[in-house]
Amino acid sequence: MDTKIGSIDVCKTENHDVGCLPNSATSTVQNSVPSTSLSSADATLGRHLARRLVQIGVTDVFTVPGDFNLTLLDHLIAEPGLTNIGCCNELNAGYAADGYARSRGVGACVVTFTVGGLSVLNAIAGAYSENLPVICIVGGPNSNDYGTNRILHHTIGLPDFSQELRCFQTVTCFQAVVNNLEDAHEMIDTAISTALKESKPVYISIGCNLAGIPHPTFSREPVPFSLSPKLSNKWGLEAAVEAAAEFLNKAVKPVMVGGPKLRSAHAGDAFVELADASGFALAVMPSAKGQVPEHHPHFIGTYWGAVSTAFCAEIVESADAYLFAGPIFNDYSSVGYSLLLKKEKAIIVQPDRVTIGNGPTFGCVLMKDFLLGLAKKLKHNNTAHENYRRIFVPDGHPLKAAPKEPLRVNVLFKHIQNMLSAETAVIAETGDSWFNCQKLKLPPGCGYEFQMQYGSIGWSVGATLGYAQAVPEKRVISFIGDGSFQVTAQDVSTMIRNGQRTIIFLINNGGYTIEVEIHDGPYNVIKNWNYTGLVDAIHNGEGKCWTTKVRCEEELIEAIETANGPKKDSFCFIEVIVHKDDTSKELLEWGSRVSAANSRPPNPQ
């Protein structure tokens, strides 16, 4: 059967704290904390929730105050290990919790009932799509109002308080509506532990009159979570490993490709161990960039079909066997369903399931266990990597710019490459930055994040805030298009307020360039802003902030030197002005193919 994967024919993570658990064998969140009695002032629901957040590694919570959550916020900020990061709007608070979870392994945000909850909903949906454990806490109605016929403010005017809950049910893996104290302890603990186990967001609503009330269930320091580790079915694991080893050992030039679910499966180290043992050529899907070390001796780049990094697609698609670990084959990652892959040549490893070619599927097999077991059974075979080395030609360099010539995007990223180190992390916004940043070569220890599955423009502003707050020792370098920035610009204020040292490169090309390449129209042209003037106004003389506009290579070099020199401890905002048609060749190709997929006519009835 000649079935294609990701074709039109077939319809890392950094461990900075205990909540992360990315590649550890156990799921004990904390080793030992004595269970001590608490004073009645500390034995409240709000303080219990705060202590639980700190225990799992959340030391910063992203909030927008509203009358239903004010008392809860009082008790959260009273916890010594928890810092309140006030955000300008709920959407950015959710995006910040998303960015925080990408580094710490878990994040949290607090908003008010319905008007706040429905505002943050889009960010929570994005975290769900990216398998990120985000704890979304909402200050809910007074417990006495449940079951009455009262109409509350911040609702749509009906005496039904379940609208917000119903919206969250499809984008969270657990929902807890706490409107009494008796079962609050159990509901909060179940929600938080479920987020960690499932690597998905959860929803916790706390009645606005409950957060400050002492209760016997909160009278002692909470015992740390000890999450029961998921286990593979022993016989299924052995059968899957044997079948996969037989499949791969008879292949002539097998390859392996890492996908985005490596993170939620905590299997990054196991994937690298398999690469070490097998000698296979090693690639990543675009949404897994940063989860596999690019300095690995067998690394050949990003596999993204027709827009892969140089020579990578040729090696992957010509292989006679490929192992995909944690892939997501959607229309974007498959470049409009145009990947030249054959199902019968593939082993697809998901977090708890293995499928081999057109043949058997093995359930209850954890990815990490499978990869480690397979590493012991494979014959060393570096044929595909040797083929890559034979055909590989080093990257060319952009044409040298004439003095004061308008800056080109490829010249910009030539200089960005030299900025990267173990002390930096890259955040790429939806748009052409996806493609330009994908070509960056990440040095060991350099972080990398972007939101490919959900692709919500504006995500990167909040995510940059959250990521930088999670790892203050790294300098975050973000690449944001002007159209995306206009969606969520306000929380540059929060970055400055919290003393972050982020560098934002604002790519000003006059519109939604990624949309132009899919389907152009007058709606893709936006009103130009004075972006540096806006950030200067937000700065308002409070905190450390430096802005500049860049129009040519000479100005870019000077700006980078300033950002890394005199302004290295400041928030730096560099507006890069480029031509509206200056795009990567990858976006041109990708846009054409995605457009073709979007415009397919209806099937005959």
Side-chain angles (χ1 to χ4, degrees), residues 459-471:
W459 161 86
S460 65
V461 176
T464 294
L465 165 65
Y467 195 99
Q469 194 66 28
V471 276

Side-chain angles (χ1 to χ4, degrees), residues 172-226:
T172 56
C173 66
F174 187 86
Q175 307 82 37
V177 178
V178 180
N179 54 22
N180 69 80
L181 291 173
E182 281 66 32
D183 58 0
H185 188 289
E186 178 184 2
M187 294 181 76
I188 289 170
D189 284 7
T190 302
I192 294 175
S193 61
T194 302
L196 296 177
K197 287 186 288 187
E198 301 299 325
S199 196
K200 293 283 190 182
V202 294
Y203 165 85
I204 303 175
S205 174
I206 306 287
C208 64
N209 60 327
L210 301 181
I213 301 176
H215 192 268
T217 55
F218 308 128
S219 62
R220 299 186 71 82
E221 189 79 28
V223 175
F225 288 119
S226 184

Side-chain angles (χ1 to χ4, degrees), residues 251 253-256 313-322 342 345 384:
K253 45 183 180 179
V255 300
M256 53 191 292
E314 292 81 356
I315 295 300
V316 172
E317 293 179 344
S318 66
D320 55 345
Y322 13 78
K342 306 294 184 183
K345 295 182 181 180

